Amino acid sequence: MAKVAVVTGSGNGLGKGIAHRLGKDGFNVVLNDINQEAVNATLEEFKNEGLKAIAVKGDVSKREDQFNLVKQAVKEFGQLDVFVNNAGIDVVSPFMEIDADQLNKAFSVNVHGVVFGTQAAANQFIEQGTKGKVINACSIAGHESFEMLGTYSATKHAVKSFTHVAAKELASNNIRVNAYCPGVAGTAMWDRIDEEMVKYYDDLQPGDKYKEFVDGISLGRSQEPEDVANLVSFLASDDADYITGQTIVTDGGIVFR
Ligand SMILES: NC(=O)c1ccc[n+]([C@@H]2O[C@H](COP(=O)([O-])OP(=O)(O)OC[C@H]3O[C@@H](n4cnc5c(N)ncnc54)[C@H](O)[C@@H]3O)[C@@H](O)[C@H]2O)c1
Ligand SMILES: CC(=O)[C@H](C)O
C-alpha cells in the first residue's frame, strides 16, 4: 500500500514543491492550505500529472482543523505516514515597532500550527501502531536571528525547540520529528519580506533586500523549492529512520552550524 503524506501550506511555494516531490516519490499526497483557490489549482496540476492527491482546506493555527486534516487523509487513503508542518507566515518589523497583533498572528500560525499539527499526526500514528514522521518548517532564522525579522525569527526558534522536545517525547512511540531549515527562496514570502523591508530605507528599490540576501549565499544562487524538497524527501524516507530531533539547514551556505 502506498504511504500517505500530508503537507500543510502546499497550495503555493515550498509546500507545493515538497508535496510534488513526495507525490513523485510514490506517496499519496494530502494537500492543505488556507487558500482554497490555490490548493484546488495545485490539486488539478497534480492530478493532470497522474499524482494521487486530495486537497483539504484548513487553517493550521486551529487545532480542530489540524485534526480534521488527519481525519480526511485517513478517510481517503486509509493511513498516515508523514506529516509536513510547512505552512508559515512572515512578519517584517523593526524591534521597537513589534506589536501584539504581529506577535499573535505569527506565533499562532508558525508555532501553534506546528504544535497542533504534530499532535494530530502523532495521535494517528499511535492509534495505528505504526512508525511515523513529522517534518517541520524551520528556517535559517531558527538558527540565527535576523534584523527586521525578530518576531519571525523567534517563531522559528520556537519551532526548533518544539522539534527537539517532540522528538524526545515521541521516540518511544516510534515517531521521528525533524525540521528543514531553508535559506532564501524566491517564493511569495520573500516578495512580501522584500517589499516590507525596503520601505524602511530611502535608498533601496523593490528587490534590493532580496538581492542583498541572495548575494550572501556562498553557492551563488537563490534556493528553489526542489532544493528544499530534496531534503524533505530524504527525511520522509526509510533512509532517515535513525534521525530524530534534528533541524537541518539547507541554504546554499548562509549560516554555518
Ligand atoms: N521562502 C523562504 O525563503 C523560506 C526560508 C526559510 C523558511 N521558510 C519557511 O518555509 C515555509 C513555506 O514558505 P514559503 O516561502 O513557501 O511561503 P509562501 O508564503 O510562499 O507559501 C505559504 C503557503 O502557506 C499557506 N498558509 C499561510 N497561512 C496558512 C494557515 N494558517 N493555514 C494553512 N495554510 C497557510 C499560504 O496560503 C501559502 O500557500 C514557511 O514555514 C516559511 O517560514 C521559507
Ligand atoms: C524567510 C526565511 O525564513 C529566511 C530568512 O529567508
Side-chain angles (χ1 to χ4, degrees):
M1 195 148 120
K3 287 187 180 174
V4 181
V6 170
V7 185
T8 67
S10 48
N12 286 300
L14 301 183
K16 181 177 174 182
I18 290 164
H20 186 262
R21 172 60 189 267
L22 294 180
K24 289 280 181 196
D25 286 348
F27 282 86
N28 290 336
V29 175
V30 180
L31 301 166
N32 152 270
D33 211 285
I34 199 168
N35 180 338
Q36 178 92 67
E37 213 179 306
V39 81
N40 284 349
T42 298
L43 178 65
E44 211 45 44
E45 278 180 44
F46 281 25
K47 282 190 165 169
N48 289 339
E49 280 191 61
L51 302 179
K52 217 162 165 209
I54 59 165
V56 180
K57 184 182 182 235
D59 177 348
V60 296
S61 69
K62 297 190 172 139
R63 197 170 188 273
E64 63 273 23
D65 282 15
Q66 295 281 49
F67 276 75
N68 177 56
L69 179 55
V70 169
K71 195 173 158 197
Q72 296 307 318
V74 174
K75 189 173 165 205
E76 181 69 20
F77 294 125
Q79 67 190 58
L80 179 70
D81 300 282
V82 171
F83 193 100
V84 184
N85 279 308
N86 169 77
I89 59 170
D90 47 286
V91 189
V92 174
S93 169
F95 177 77
M96 293 302 283
E97 293 176 22
I98 293 171
D99 62 28
D101 190 44
Q102 290 169 357
L103 287 165
N104 289 336
K105 272 193 193 142
F107 273 86
S108 117
V109 177
N110 296 4
V111 183
H112 299 199
V114 165
V115 172
F116 298 151
T118 305
Q119 290 172 338
N123 195 54
Q124 179 62 27
F125 297 144
I126 292 166
E127 201 177 308
Q128 288 174 185
T130 59
K131 78 175 175 190
K133 294 203 163 131
V134 174
I135 306 172
N136 297 328
C138 188
S139 165
I140 50 171
H143 291 268
E144 190 166 318
S145 300
F146 292 90
E147 286 165 278
M148 312 270 275
L149 289 172
T151 300
Y152 177 82
S153 299
T155 66
K156 294 300 183 180
H157 278 71
V159 169
K160 182 168 67 177
S161 175
F162 278 121
T163 300
H164 291 167
V165 82
K168 289 179 183 180
E169 290 191 21
L170 297 171
S172 59
N173 295 108
N174 219 1
I175 297 168
R176 286 90 173 144
V177 186
N178 291 294
Y180 53 99
C181 305
V184 179
T187 61
M189 177 173 280
W190 250 105
D191 291 345
R192 290 188 300 268
I193 292 173
D194 176 77
E195 190 183 332
E196 288 304 311
M197 279 188 176
V198 297
K199 284 183 190 162
Y200 288 92
Y201 301 86
D202 291 336
D203 55 338
L204 291 186
Q205 304 298 317
D208 283 352
K209 267 287 167 189
Y210 177 64
K211 184 175 180 312
E212 185 185 309
F213 272 78
V214 171
D215 285 347
I217 301 173
S218 303
L219 292 179
R221 67 164 175 87
S222 63
Q223 186 155 36
E224 298 296 331
E226 291 76 12
D227 297 313
V228 181
N230 286 339
L231 173 59
V232 177
S233 166
F234 166 66
L235 289 172
S237 76
D238 292 346
D239 286 346
D241 275 1
Y242 200 57
I243 300 174
T244 198
Q246 301 308 306
T247 51
I248 302 173
V249 174
T250 165
D251 69 351
I254 301 174
V255 302
F256 291 85
R257 293 292 179 270

